[in-house]
Amino acid sequence: MILPGAASQSLAAALAAETNDALAVVERTRFADGEFKIRTDSVDDRAIIVASTVSSDAHIELLQLQDIASQHAEEVVTVLPYMGYGRQDEAFSAGEPVSARAIARAISTSTDRVLTVTPHEPDICECFDVPCESVDGAPLLADSLPENLSEPLFLAPDEGAIDLADAVRTAYGNGETDYFEKTRDHDTGEIELSPSETDAADRDVVVTDDIIATGSTMSKAIERLRTQDVGRVFAVCVHPMLAANARTKLEKAGIEAIYGTDTLERSVTTVSVAPVIADAL
Ligand code: R5P
């Protein structure tokens, strides 16, 4: 049986269609003090919880779903399509927590295994106290791109994302891969991008990243490209967080289109990661 978190209902339904598992209906209300009260219909022997932890509320709901599941099921699998706090995988300065580890430990207490999708750092799985595996949603993004890209260049906004860009290029079946040099000031959040060495003139460019959060990285990349005479510029990412005014920043920078997966259910979501999750279950 698949138990959906509130933020992952479409993906949970897509996964249920892939695996033929039943989909639980989760009722959500609140106690008078604002705390969440949830209940679900019967849970069978294997419970698969699908919940992107996009907010503190989503984290609480996940722990509640795990508690229901662990009371009734013999096996509990926790699918984290998007793992919140996953990018705080180290203490960036003295006195800070490794938030990813703190969250992973809490999630580990009521599950037999964890499955996550394209984490920012693959090593994140080591933070869990139970077996954890990550699957890659990046190749699926190629399906959203137009078939007529002109001499496509798949650009990563930093060296760390080059494997993602290459995975999308390979799945697309045509083009070249390169990356920008990126530096971010951890105090101010300011980003600097140095141009890639590949000549992008007159070519369609697909900037590929694991996540678009504030949109600063992606919009800087697009602005850099727009100083050259490039063709269309597309932004693709596995996790289309698009926090605050990210969408507007990308429009102003001159984006042609944005495509993302359903690890985060947004208006730019064009493809489901359900098949790769189903394969790994
Ligand atoms: C950083 O290394 C990541 O791969 C992303 O480039 C970054 O987290 C995107 O964040 P933002 O949209 O806030 O620039």
Side-chain angles (χ1 to χ4, degrees), residues 182-213:
K182 172 171 129 178
T183 49
R184 185 193 288 262
D185 183 322
H186 274 303
D187 292 326
T188 63
E190 275 296 305
I191 288 168
E192 280 301 322
L193 289 183
S194 310
S196 81
E197 294 187 353
T198 309
D199 183 5
D202 296 326
R203 305 175 69 172
D204 287 334
V205 182
V206 181
V207 189
T208 307
D209 211 349
D210 56 335
I211 181 170
I212 302 174

Side-chain angles (χ1 to χ4, degrees), residues 109-132:
T109 56
S110 294
T111 194
D112 295 297
R113 57 185 281 231
V114 171
L115 202 59
T116 189
V117 181
T118 319
H120 180 61
E121 283 294 336
D123 290 351
I124 202 85
C125 273
E126 289 167 19
C127 293
F128 291 86
D129 297 327
V130 292
C132 169

